[in-house]
Amino acid sequence: MLTVFFVMLLGVAIGIGVRRIPAVRHTGKWVSIVIYILLFLLGKEVGGDKQLLASLSTLGLQALLITGGAVAGSILFATFIFRFFFEKK
């Protein structure tokens, strides 16, 4: 995981360094295409893993519960921050 973080930081540093080059400014379309390819390959790997597919219902329920908790917590915290800092009295 630490390797992924450092690779991402390296990408940010390189992006900051080359953003003034005109040819590099139009890479958004290519980045989207590469992300779609990576998502396709990830789906292919998940679809080919029998053990993962067998436990998908359990994993899906856990993911739903975690997502619901994260959304509810974010809404509650955002409401608190708004009322505490931005609401006019």
Side-chain angles (χ1 to χ4, degrees), residues 4 11 29-30 43 51 70 81:
V4 172
K29 183 178 181 181
W30 289 105
Q51 184 180 6
I81 294 295

Side-chain angles (χ1 to χ4, degrees), residues 14-73:
I14 291 172
I16 290 171
V18 299
R19 67 180 166 192
R20 293 190 177 119
I21 300 172
V24 179
R25 288 186 181 179
H26 306 289
T27 58
K29 183 178 181 181
W30 289 105
V31 169
S32 294
I33 291 170
V34 169
I35 289 173
Y36 292 143
I37 291 169
L38 289 172
L39 286 172
F40 172 77
L41 292 174
L42 177 65
K44 180 186 142 313
E45 288 297 317
V46 169
D49 189 348
K50 292 180 182 180
Q51 184 180 6
L52 182 64
L53 287 178
S55 63
L56 198 56
S57 62
T58 306
L59 293 174
L61 179 61
Q62 290 174 353
L64 184 65
L65 291 174
I66 291 170
T67 302
V71 169

Side-chain angles (χ1 to χ4, degrees), residues 67-86:
T67 302
V71 169
S74 296
I75 290 171
L76 288 174
F77 191 68
T79 303
F80 169 75
I81 294 295
F82 177 76
R83 288 184 180 168
F84 188 74
F85 289 110
F86 299 107

